[in-house]
Amino acid sequence: LRVLKYPHPSLRATNDEISDEELTGPGCEISKIAKQMFLVMYATNGVGLAAPQVGINKRLMVYNEHGDAKKWMSEVIMVNPKIVEYSEASDVEQEGCLSFPEMGGDVERSKWIKVEAQNLKGKKIKKKFRGWEARIFQHEYDHLDGKVYIDRLTEDGRKEIQPKLDELIDKFGDGGAL
């Protein structure tokens, strides 16, 4: 697996829910994919990675708020996640993305969120995330909906990175999904 760069069409594609059969059936590929996603994430110095970023259009995300493989107890795998509640309060912080190398910008996100998802065994999970972890989750969740962080930048923030975006678009060639 490798991280796909913008404007690869996989980043804007529809992402399918993962069936119970895919989680519990013979071979259980989803577990293997999640492990590989962590390896790619750590190798690229990330804190989170969504399946579409590695060309797998499924509703799967992994993250470790520390971005450190030695802190593997903080690894989180979410299957078919949904945000069921957002805080009214929000904050703005600098974000970057592995699919947008050497770029960043201020993004507004909810301070806390309530989430429902499944684990790798198909068991339902309900959690409330705050602060940094809520931000990571919302960023990766956007990928599952075909959104990328540049969609949330201010007009000035977008103008600032546009030259780098244009370079990526030129490098990708025809067929990119803007």
Side-chain angles (χ1 to χ4, degrees):
L1 296 180
R2 66 183 176 85
V3 177
L4 302 176
K5 306 289 185 256
Y6 178 83
H8 193 286
S10 181
L11 298 172
R12 295 289 194 189
T14 301
N15 297 293
D16 297 327
E17 289 234 333
I18 295 167
S19 68
D20 288 340
E21 174 67 23
E22 288 175 279
L23 290 174
T24 58
C28 297
E29 286 298 307
I30 299 300
S31 177
K32 292 174 190 157
I33 290 166
K35 284 187 179 99
Q36 289 176 331
M37 286 172 62
F38 275 119
L39 294 175
V40 170
M41 183 190 88
Y42 292 132
T44 52
N45 299 313
V47 293
L49 194 61
Q53 289 181 275
V54 292
I56 298 168
N57 289 110
K58 298 276 186 185
R59 297 189 70 81
L60 172 68
M61 69 163 79
V62 302
Y63 69 88
N64 177 336
E65 65 180 316
H66 305 290
D68 182 351
K70 291 185 189 102
K71 296 187 178 176
W72 55 271
M73 291 292 287
S74 296
E75 290 181 350
V76 176
I77 300 168
M78 293 275 183
V79 176
N80 300 327
K82 290 179 185 70
I83 298 176
V84 294
E85 191 179 339
Y86 293 86
S87 67
E88 286 183 27
S90 62
D91 58 14
V92 175
E93 284 188 37
Q94 180 81 199
E95 280 187 29
C97 181
L98 297 175
S99 295
F100 294 81
E102 298 168 32
M103 283 179 244
D106 287 341
V107 176
E108 185 175 359
R109 302 259 185 212
S110 294
K111 284 189 173 191
W112 61 259
I113 50 172
K114 287 185 180 174
V115 170
E116 291 178 0
Q118 291 171 278
N119 66 16
L120 283 174
K121 292 184 169 74
K123 185 177 177 251
K124 295 218 181 300
I125 318 165
K126 289 183 179 186
K127 279 190 121 172
K128 183 174 184 175
F129 296 119
R130 292 179 173 82
W132 175 234
E133 196 171 6
R135 179 166 291 276
I136 296 168
F137 185 97
Q138 289 171 84
H139 179 107
E140 301 311 329
Y141 185 79
D142 273 354
H143 281 296
L144 302 183
D145 285 342
K147 290 187 188 117
V148 288
Y149 94 104
I150 61 168
D151 300 340
R152 296 193 180 274
L153 293 176
T154 62
E155 203 174 311
D156 288 346
R158 179 69 183 241
K159 278 183 191 154
E160 200 176 303
I161 63 160
Q162 195 61 50
K164 286 185 179 174
L165 290 177
D166 292 340
E167 280 176 38
L168 285 175
I169 292 163
D170 289 346
K171 193 185 277 188
F172 188 85
D174 291 341
L178 310 179

